[in-house]
Amino acid sequence: GLPGKAERRYAGVTHIDVTSLDVTSIQSLAKKHGVNVAVMGYYPNPLDPDEEKREKEIAHLKEVISAAPKLGIDIVSTFVGRDHTKSVDDNWPQFEKVWSDLIAHAEKANVKIAIEHCPMIFSNDEWPGGKNLAHSPSIWRKMFKAFPSSNFGLCFDP
């Protein structure tokens, strides 16, 4: 199934049902409107402190990654996520656990993961850490040292 309305700004909204992907319909709609889809995006919080929510979002992100090549797309843009109540160091073990599996999944699908790099601080409940761990060059370097995969990089989003 599809996630409902986004619980936070700019995140978790789904426009293509990847669980029952209708490739022909999507491709003909894009062609009809002269649209070329180069990237699929899904922006959950894969490090959410709520384990049930986190697992559901990770599973859906994997479905997006698996669906992309069926549509001729080889890039999925997303967030690393973050437990905003914890420091970067305290988030790190969960980051390594979750992203090891997600990157392996992307590699098998031959899909590149493009990480959005804004901190996602829009309201008081997201302070002080924001909801995206990948928000600074020092953290990016640490991420890419942990996972030196050519399928894991940053989304250029000035």
Side-chain angles (χ1 to χ4, degrees):
L2 297 173
K5 185 179 179 213
E7 292 180 21
R8 64 187 203 282
R9 277 184 239 172
Y10 316 115
V13 177
T14 300
H15 300 285
I16 293 176
D17 184 352
V18 294
T19 60
S20 60
L21 190 65
D22 183 349
V23 173
T24 305
S25 230
I26 293 166
Q27 288 176 334
S28 70
L29 184 64
K31 184 176 180 178
K32 175 183 172 185
H33 293 284
V35 172
N36 179 32
V37 181
V39 178
M40 289 181 73
Y42 179 58
Y43 303 94
N45 184 354
L47 302 181
D48 194 292
D50 179 328
E51 185 175 355
E52 184 179 334
K53 185 176 177 185
R54 178 178 66 240
E55 293 306 318
K56 181 181 173 188
E57 291 179 344
I58 290 168
H60 192 77
L61 180 54
K62 284 182 176 180
E63 290 185 58
V64 172
I65 292 166
S66 295
K70 295 173 186 170
L71 292 167
I73 298 167
D74 66 353
I75 300 171
V76 170
S77 182
T78 192
F79 286 126
V80 162
R82 180 178 182 156
D83 178 343
H84 70 286
T85 66
K86 294 181 179 178
S87 70
V88 171
D89 289 341
D90 290 340
N91 268 274
W92 208 256
Q94 187 69 14
F95 161 74
E96 287 184 321
K97 177 183 175 194
V98 167
W99 281 94
S100 173
D101 187 42
L102 284 169
I103 293 166
H105 187 78
E107 288 172 342
K108 282 182 189 172
N110 201 26
V111 168
K112 290 177 172 59
I113 300 293
I115 296 298
E116 288 275 358
H117 48 75
C118 63
M120 293 301 291
I121 300 174
F122 296 110
S123 60
N124 288 339
D125 72 322
E126 295 163 335
W127 184 259
K131 292 200 174 159
N132 189 23
L133 188 65
H135 68 269
S136 74
S138 65
I139 295 171
W140 305 334
R141 284 188 290 275
K142 188 174 178 180
M143 284 176 13
F144 299 131
K145 185 175 182 184
F147 299 110
S149 172
S150 61
N151 291 67
F152 186 55
L154 292 176
C155 172
F156 180 66
D157 186 10

